[in-house]
């Protein structure tokens, strides 16, 4: 008799619960998405300030057909892409470093996780440059194409995101080169295809439901009170709630991604996870030789 397949919500809830057991032991992992978000905000502010001060903002936001204007525009967008990817990958690498140690019975600090990311900074930058290049190409195709071209660009972008889903864990944990990380990620995707995408997306779906529920409660309470000041306080509390939920969701998603990667590569269930939830997401859990 086959086991009942997990639905998107149930799978997301179960993944969140088991990833949470890991996070409770290494709460410092939540600093990484928080610092990543703050760094990204500072970068965006500084980025647009420089564009404004140098007079390049009009070239980026405009639709000029001049060659020089387009060169400046695409160069600026490429810089934005590469820095954004780098910030995201770098701090995810910190989470991966600590989670990997926890799976193997070790207890690392935030400093150790940051050091782990620094040790891979060259490969992280190279991965960011490649991702930025792909993103730039897809952006140009989408901008210059009609509806069919935009659809093709969107589909290729989705395929690229799936293909490289495990590239960062491969770089940090598998110690692969950037080139080999793509092959490694594709290999793991073949093993985890199917339920993996549905169940893993369930984590985001689960937290989306939680956030929506918080929003409904906040609006309901503000409406019943009916006064401006309390409503502003409630709005501020909801924003804090939204930030906290986003940080937790991001951290748990990265932890579970690493758990899937390690099981697909070794066939060993990572500490803190039950075999049912991991095997539910793996189609053919055979360790590589």
């Amino acid at each position: 008799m086959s086991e009942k397949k997990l639905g998107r919500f149930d799978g997301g809830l179960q993944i969140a619960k088991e990833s949470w057991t890991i996070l409770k032991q290494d709460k410092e992992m939540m600093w990484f998405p928080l610092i990543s978000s703050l760094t990204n905000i500072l970068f965006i502010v500084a980025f647009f300030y420089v564009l404004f001060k140098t007079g390049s903002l009009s070239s980026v936001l405009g639709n000029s057909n001049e060659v020089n204007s387009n060169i400046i525009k695409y160069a600026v967008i490429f810089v934005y892409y590469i820095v954004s990817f780098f910030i995201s990958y770098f701090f995810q690498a910190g989470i991966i470093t600590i989670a990997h140690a926890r799976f193997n019975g070790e207890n690392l600090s935030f400093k150790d996780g940051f050091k782990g990311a620094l040790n891979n900074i060259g490969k992280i930058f190279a991965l960011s440059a490649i991702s930025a290049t792909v993103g730039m190409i897809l952006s140009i195709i989408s901008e210059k194409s009609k509806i069919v071209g935009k659809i093709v660009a969107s589909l290729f972008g989705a395929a690229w995101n799936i293909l490289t889903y495990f590239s960062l864990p491969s770089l940090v944990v598998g110690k692969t080169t950037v080139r080999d990380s793509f092959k490694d990620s594709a290999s793991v995707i073949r093993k985890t295809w199917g339920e993996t995408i549905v169940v893993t997306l369930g984590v985001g779906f689960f937290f989306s439901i939680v956030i929506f529920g918080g929003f409904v409660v906040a609006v309901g309470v503000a409406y019943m009170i009916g006064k401006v000041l309390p409503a502003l306080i409630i709005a501020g509390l909801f924003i804090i709630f939204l930030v906290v939920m986003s940080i937790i969701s991001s951290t748990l998603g990265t932890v579970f991604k690493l758990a899937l990667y390690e099981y697909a590569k070794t066939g060993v269930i990572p500490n803190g996870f039950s075999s049912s939830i991991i095997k539910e997401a793996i189609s053919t859990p055979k360790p590589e030789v």
Side-chain angles (χ1 to χ4, degrees):
M1 182 177 178
S2 61
E3 296 183 3
K4 181 182 178 181
K5 292 290 183 181
L6 290 174
R8 178 176 295 187
F9 182 81
D10 291 338
L13 177 60
Q14 188 66 20
I15 291 169
K17 283 181 178 179
E18 300 201 355
S19 299
W20 178 252
T21 63
I22 303 297
L23 183 56
K24 285 194 298 183
Q25 299 176 75
D26 295 287
K27 298 182 181 67
E28 60 271 17
M29 286 192 292
M30 288 191 290
W31 283 107
F32 289 101
L34 175 60
I35 296 175
S36 176
S37 298
L38 293 176
T39 304
N40 227 349
I41 291 172
L42 290 174
F43 163 65
I44 291 172
V45 171
F47 184 76
F48 279 96
Y49 176 77
V50 171
L51 290 180
F52 177 76
K53 295 296 287 186
T54 58
S56 301
L57 189 58
S58 58
S59 297
V60 176
L61 299 179
N63 293 312
S64 174
N65 291 321
E66 295 181 8
V67 175
N68 289 339
S69 181
N70 280 332
I71 291 175
I72 294 174
K73 176 181 178 179
Y74 294 134
V76 168
I77 293 175
F78 179 75
V79 170
Y80 174 80
Y81 277 171
I82 195 170
V83 175
S84 296
F85 276 118
F86 179 80
I87 292 172
S88 176
Y89 291 155
F90 182 85
F91 289 104
Q92 282 187 56
I95 298 174
I96 289 171
T97 299
I98 295 177
H100 174 65
R102 175 58 61 187
F103 291 163
N104 290 279
E106 301 176 46
N107 181 26
L108 298 186
S109 64
F110 172 83
K111 182 179 179 181
D112 294 322
F114 192 83
K115 184 178 180 181
L118 280 177
N119 290 339
N120 292 280
I121 194 169
K123 292 191 290 186
I124 292 173
F125 181 80
L127 179 61
S128 302
I130 294 172
S131 297
T133 302
V134 173
M136 188 76 254
I137 293 172
L138 293 178
S139 178
I140 294 173
I141 293 174
S142 180
E143 180 183 345
K144 301 295 184 181
S145 303
K146 295 183 179 180
I147 295 178
V148 175
K150 294 182 186 298
I151 293 174
V152 171
S154 297
L155 291 175
F156 186 82
W160 171 259
N161 289 333
I162 292 173
L163 177 66
T164 59
Y165 188 72
F166 293 104
S167 290
L168 190 58
S170 179
L171 288 177
V172 177
V173 174
K175 305 298 181 183
T176 60
T177 63
V178 175
R179 179 180 178 180
D180 288 340
S181 74
F182 296 131
K183 298 178 182 178
D184 196 28
S185 178
S187 174
V188 175
I189 282 293
R190 284 196 295 271
K191 293 182 179 183
T192 63
W193 182 253
E195 289 300 318
T196 301
I197 302 301
V198 174
V199 176
T200 304
L201 288 178
V203 177
F205 180 73
F206 167 73
F207 276 96
S208 295
I209 295 296
V210 173
I211 291 172
F212 179 73
F215 174 76
V216 171
V217 171
V219 171
V221 173
Y223 178 78
M224 286 188 294
I225 294 175
K227 295 182 179 180
V228 176
L229 182 58
L232 291 176
I233 294 174
I234 292 171
L237 292 175
F238 175 73
I239 291 174
I240 294 173
F241 170 76
L242 179 63
V243 170
V244 172
M245 288 297 100
S246 297
I247 289 172
I248 294 175
S249 175
S250 175
T251 307
L252 297 186
T254 302
V255 169
F256 186 67
K257 179 192 294 188
L258 178 63
L260 287 181
Y261 174 80
E262 295 210 1
Y263 179 65
K265 295 291 290 183
T266 67
V268 178
I269 304 294
N271 290 331
F273 286 92
S274 62
S275 61
S276 59
I277 188 64
I278 295 294
K279 290 180 179 179
E280 174 76 15
I282 303 289
S283 56
T284 54
K286 297 178 182 179
E288 292 189 354
V289 180

